[in-house]
Amino acid sequence: MAIKTKAEYIESLRKLQPVVYMFGERIDNFVDNPRIRAGIEATGETYALAESFEHRDAITTNSPLIGEKINRFTLPPASIEDLVARVKNNRLLGGRVGTCYQRCTGMDCLSALAIVTYDIDRKYGTTYNARFLEFLKYVQKNDLTCNAGVTDVKGDRSLNPAEQADKDLYLRVVEERKDGIVVRGAKAHQTGSLSSHEIIVLPTRALRKEDKEYAVAFALPIDTPGIIHVVGRSSLDMRELQGCDTGNTRYSKYCPTVIFDNVFVPWDRVFLYGETEFAGDLVMRFSSFHRQSHGGCKAGKIDCMIGAALNMMDYNGTTKAGHLRGKVIDMIHRSETLYGCSLAASYEGKKEPSGTYFVDPVLVNASKLHEGKEMAEVSRLLMDIAGGFVSDLPSDKDFENPTIGPLLKKYLKGTADTPVEDRVKMLRLVEKITLESADSVSDIHGGGSPEAHRITIMRESKVGDKKALSKRLAGIEE
Ligand SMILES: Cc1cc2nc3c(=O)[nH]c(=O)nc-3n(C[C@H](O)[C@H](O)[C@H](O)COP(=O)(O)OP(=O)(O)OC[C@H]3O[C@@H](n4cnc5c(N)ncnc54)[C@H](O)[C@@H]3O)c2cc1C
């Protein structure tokens, strides 16, 4: 059985020696750094659930490739059932960690590569699919986590990759050797790059013939020489390092900038090299799968937000306030529409020539657009329900202070039967879940900016059919 326990997963990360920087300092023991560890703990839940009696049947399945039981987070979907399971598992995990669990991006890359490497081989007689399947076997057998190296830093957005003043602003091949290639560039917002064993690099956009050196896809261990992870500065992260006021003390999200400083990639790990016309397809497949993933996990996060809203109402004595109950209903309908859209995209999925199933691209983009707007609305509703202490609660350290602690406990109490500590903890959770920048900005930009979703909707919708419908009713002959 190719399944790791959560403890084995964390131990396996200790064997890696990535180059990591944070706040200007080199971090050697990244696994025990509290900021990074909170992210590793979140990913670790995908392993913990595979061990649990209650959830293991949902999280694990048999691999058609290696014939063993595997974690579904290493499985390109081979049926509608697999597509649906992705959404359900994402919802489960989103509610459990209340933030991003950071393992879907790699699964989404694996799913995109399973389709596109096959299509490239059909056109050019290359062997990318066989190489990819060997890599996939390795991932499945060792129950690995991968991260998605898709977003280039992009420099001047009005210019194509080859037109940039600095040609490295999109990751590119700078040297071809007998045994592989050397790449240079940087990928931004790399969710959970240090919670992962492997980084999978795909192009960030459709490319023209002139951009051939940028048409490259590959996978490498996160500690490959030349790869540097710079962990970003996001809101609330100092609290994890200081060990106080963390709200959700166990789980967090972090998204390093990852620099590829002349990194060697052996041929057996190269899955696209120069076939520019397939770059756009790879991005479209990846981002569609990723937008499907968001529909599940963000619905799960709203589940947790709804629970926090109801608890705050109990603690504040507002349980019976009709307008707040109405606002909880508004939160519920948003989680269910998001979930429904993502599920619908899965049920409407289609089998590709490689045998991998692909989601409905219009429905997943509709789902993601909905998420971008509605997650902000759900946060607004939760802040409204919870009250102003979401923003400026005294610190844990003030509550522990012998002089002011007892006074704070007296004055911050809600209903008489609620321990003040519980009210403070719930307020902290609400602060974290509504204001954690790394996760809330991803509602808008994760998987591409909103305009990218809109463009895909227009391109993939059968607008000609819609025009024909209206012409028929209006009595206009085609
Ligand atoms: C929290 C978080 C997690 C993420 N995780 C990952 C990850 O794990 N892996 C990964 O690869 N990426 C990840 N991303 C990156 C994400 O896909 C990008 O942020 C997104 O694609 C937008 O790119 P950008 O940030 O460079 O913004 P920009 O591309 O600069 O976009 C900013 C705005 O400018 C517009 N714009 C940009 N270029 C043009 C143009 N030429 N013409 C007209 N308008 C334009 C956009 O539509 C947008 O409105 C993550 C992002 C976030 C915020």
Side-chain angles (χ1 to χ4, degrees), residues 105 147-152 154 157-158 188-191 253 255 438-439 441-442 445-449 451:
T105 56
N147 109 276
V150 181
T151 306
D152 285 295
K154 299 193 294 245
R157 270 67 175 155
S158 69
H189 320 292
Q190 295 301 286
T191 301
K253 173 170 183 169
C255 307
D439 204 36
V441 181
S442 84
H445 277 301
S449 63
E451 195 52 25

Side-chain angles (χ1 to χ4, degrees), residues 117-132:
T117 53
Y118 186 90
D119 293 344
I120 308 172
D121 290 354
R122 278 206 310 174
K123 179 163 180 191
Y124 287 110
T126 42
T127 56
Y128 294 125
N129 190 248
R131 284 182 196 169
F132 165 72

Side-chain angles (χ1 to χ4, degrees), residues 253-271:
K253 173 170 183 169
Y254 65 95
C255 307
T257 300
V258 177
I259 298 166
F260 291 75
D261 190 19
N262 296 320
V263 176
F264 174 71
V265 190
W267 285 123
D268 63 343
R269 288 300 193 89
V270 177
F271 310 130

